[in-house]
């Protein structure tokens, strides 16, 4: 198969929505160009920004850091990782994230939940969340990004959410009637309070398959197993349904994304009044923020169960 762009033999991917076949090298150029366009379109970065790229150990954030680095932006890139203390998973995720940052010569900082708060998200299995811990874990991660970004002097946090992630979150939150998270999933999210970072999502319009291939063709270190808590995760179920729809209609994901962004999000601006959390002082919609509530819950589990 010949590459549509350079005309050489050895195309490795078919881009259905643009009707092209690309070789490895042209695909990498194509990918970086798309990320750059998204970054520029939404003015994600300003000269002098200190950008904390949130590395999970997965292919999305690995591709994100590699792509941003290759763009030669006028910003300082740093890498952050949240070690959630998940048995058989978190330490390996930290290790590969550290390895990637080192190979790209980027400063790497960890927020270790066990060291910081003395708890692990595994403890959620003893709470009413039982095995459905993705949602409380997400709350803990998001606040940890803010705490860590502040600590290392970053004014921007970049995450690796891809098109499949956001479309599945849009749909699953839509059907469960939880609109507040939908309203916050935008390419650039301004901080809720001075001193907190702006959040950017440069891969928001890139299909997951392309992000995986980018990581693969650049030989980036990534963890090859899934989080042990992710089986039965609602978002994964939605990803499977979206893949089926995409077989019928190749631009299904783009269409859903576009309708949510242009038509739905403007209708559901989250206007809950914010106060400062009485425990950590960061923005909260109640007296105590979601992070602090969940940490307290995990601490009481630890006390009752005598787990280390
Ligand atoms: P997820 O919420 O797991 O789908 O991850 C979405 C994005 O959040 C990833 O692409 C990363 O940028 C970031 N992220 C998730 N987990 C971690 C983690 N443990 N440490 C740092 N960043 C993370
Ligand atoms: Zn708090």
């Amino acid at each position: 198969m010949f590459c549509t762009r350079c005309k050489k033999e050895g195309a490795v991917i078919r881009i259905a929505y643009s009707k092209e076949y690309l070789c490895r090298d042209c695909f990498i150029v194509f990918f970086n160009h798309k990320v750059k366009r998204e970054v520029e379109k939404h003015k994600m970065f300003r000269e002098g920004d200190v950008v904390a790229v949130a590395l999970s150990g997965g292919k999305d954030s690995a591709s994100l850091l590699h792509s941003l680095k290759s763009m030669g932006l006028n910003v300082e890139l740093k890498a952050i990782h949240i070690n959630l203390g998940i048995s058989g998973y978190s330490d390996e995720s930290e290790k590969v994230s550290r390895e990637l940052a080192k190979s790209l010569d980027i400063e790497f900082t960890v927020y270790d939940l066990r060291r910081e708060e003395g708890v692990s998200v595994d403890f959620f299995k003893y709470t009413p969340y039982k095995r459905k811990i993705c949602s409380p874990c997400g709350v803990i991660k998001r606040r940890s990004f803010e705490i860590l970004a502040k600590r290392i002097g970053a004014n921007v946090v970049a995450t690796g959410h891809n098109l499949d992630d956001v479309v599945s979150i849009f749909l699953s939150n839509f059907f469960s009637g939880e609109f507040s998270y939908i309203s916050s999933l935008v390419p650039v999210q301004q901080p809720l309070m001075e001193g907190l970072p702006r959040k950017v999502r440069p891969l928001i319009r890139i299909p997951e398959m392309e992000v995986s291939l980018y990581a693969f063709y650049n030989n980036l270190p990534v963890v090859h197993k899934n989080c042990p808590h992710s089986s039965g995760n609602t978002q994964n179920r939605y990803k499977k349904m979206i893949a089926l729809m995409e077989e019928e209609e190749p631009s299904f994901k783009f269409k859903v994304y576009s309708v949510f962004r242009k038509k739905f999000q403007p209708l559901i601006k989250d206007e809950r009044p914010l106060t400062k959390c009485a425990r950590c002082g960061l923005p909260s919609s109640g007296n105590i923020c979601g992070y602090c509530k969940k940490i307290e819950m995990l601490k009481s589990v630890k006390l009752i169960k005598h787990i280390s």
Side-chain angles (χ1 to χ4, degrees):
M1 187 69 70
F2 290 90
C3 171
T4 317
R5 298 204 173 179
C6 71
K7 316 289 180 216
K8 288 189 198 135
E9 202 169 342
V12 290
I13 177 173
R14 174 173 178 263
I15 310 288
Y17 53 85
S18 67
K19 300 191 179 70
E20 285 181 294
Y21 291 91
L22 300 180
C23 69
R24 174 193 174 276
D25 292 350
C26 288
F27 169 70
I28 290 172
V29 172
F30 162 84
F31 182 94
N32 283 325
H33 180 70
K34 275 209 325 189
V35 180
K36 191 158 191 249
R37 233 180 24 212
E38 203 62 18
V39 161
E40 287 171 352
K41 180 175 164 198
H42 296 285
K43 300 187 175 58
M44 289 189 184
F45 304 116
R46 300 185 204 122
E47 201 177 328
D49 275 344
V50 179
V51 182
V53 179
L55 291 185
S56 64
K59 58 185 199 318
D60 302 303
S61 46
S63 296
L64 172 65
L65 182 63
H66 187 278
S67 181
L68 291 181
K69 167 99 187 186
S70 70
M71 242 175 249
L73 298 161
N74 251 335
V75 301
E76 185 181 353
L77 291 176
K78 296 188 176 192
I80 57 171
H81 175 77
I82 316 300
N83 187 318
L84 298 151
I86 300 168
S87 169
Y89 182 71
S90 289
D91 290 344
E92 198 178 329
S93 304
E94 178 183 329
K95 187 169 154 262
V96 295
S97 302
R98 185 185 297 281
E99 197 183 316
L100 173 70
K102 189 165 180 228
S103 73
L104 296 173
D105 199 18
I106 285 176
E107 181 189 300
F108 179 75
T109 314
V110 179
Y111 183 87
D112 187 315
L113 201 63
R114 283 169 297 189
R115 259 201 315 266
E116 302 276 346
E117 304 281 7
V119 293
S120 136
V121 300
D122 283 345
F123 298 179
F124 276 122
K125 63 178 172 235
Y126 302 115
T127 72
Y129 289 110
K130 296 211 167 98
R131 287 170 52 225
K132 298 201 160 176
I133 76 160
C134 291
S135 146
C137 180
V139 171
I140 291 185
K141 276 193 285 194
R142 288 193 286 277
R143 176 101 320 157
S144 306
F145 295 157
E146 294 172 338
I147 297 170
L148 194 49
K150 198 159 183 236
R151 209 176 273 174
I152 63 166
N155 64 326
V156 186
V157 168
T159 54
H161 292 91
N162 62 47
L163 180 67
D164 299 47
D165 291 332
V166 287
V167 169
S168 58
I169 297 171
F170 281 161
L171 291 177
S172 62
N173 283 256
F174 176 78
F175 286 114
S176 63
E178 286 171 28
F179 295 169
S180 66
Y181 191 35
I182 295 180
S183 70
S184 67
L185 263 184
V186 290
V188 178
Q189 196 183 349
Q190 296 303 335
L192 291 172
M193 199 173 98
E194 216 185 291
L196 285 183
R198 170 166 95 241
K199 292 177 186 161
V200 301
R201 302 178 174 105
L203 307 184
I204 198 162
R205 262 175 54 83
I206 314 245
E208 186 159 286
M209 169 60 99
E210 293 174 27
V211 182
S212 304
L213 276 184
Y214 185 86
F216 176 75
Y217 285 124
N218 284 297
N219 221 354
L220 305 181
V222 293
V223 265
H224 289 288
K225 51 181 155 184
N226 293 324
C227 171
H229 300 299
S230 69
S231 61
N233 160 310
T234 325
Q235 205 185 318
N236 288 341
R237 277 190 16 241
Y238 273 88
K239 279 192 180 172
K240 280 185 200 149
M241 290 190 250
I242 292 164
L244 288 176
M245 296 296 290
E246 191 90 354
E247 276 175 27
E248 296 292 322
E249 165 67 71
S251 50
F252 177 73
K253 282 184 287 213
F254 288 110
K255 284 187 177 156
V256 174
Y257 175 82
S258 162
V259 169
F260 269 83
R261 289 277 300 119
K262 290 194 191 129
K263 306 279 184 188
F264 193 59
Q265 282 179 334
L267 301 175
I268 52 158
K269 285 263 170 274
D270 188 6
E271 272 157 4
R272 284 176 300 176
L274 284 179
T275 56
K276 278 189 182 182
C277 167
R279 180 184 178 265
C280 69
L282 292 173
S284 169
S285 50
N287 186 36
I288 305 281
C289 75
Y291 172 91
C292 291
K293 275 189 198 151
K294 281 159 186 73
I295 295 295
E296 286 310 320
M297 186 186 255
L298 296 176
K299 283 185 176 169
S300 50
V301 165
K302 187 179 170 188
L303 208 66
I304 295 165
K305 297 268 177 194
H306 304 293
I307 31 189
S308 55

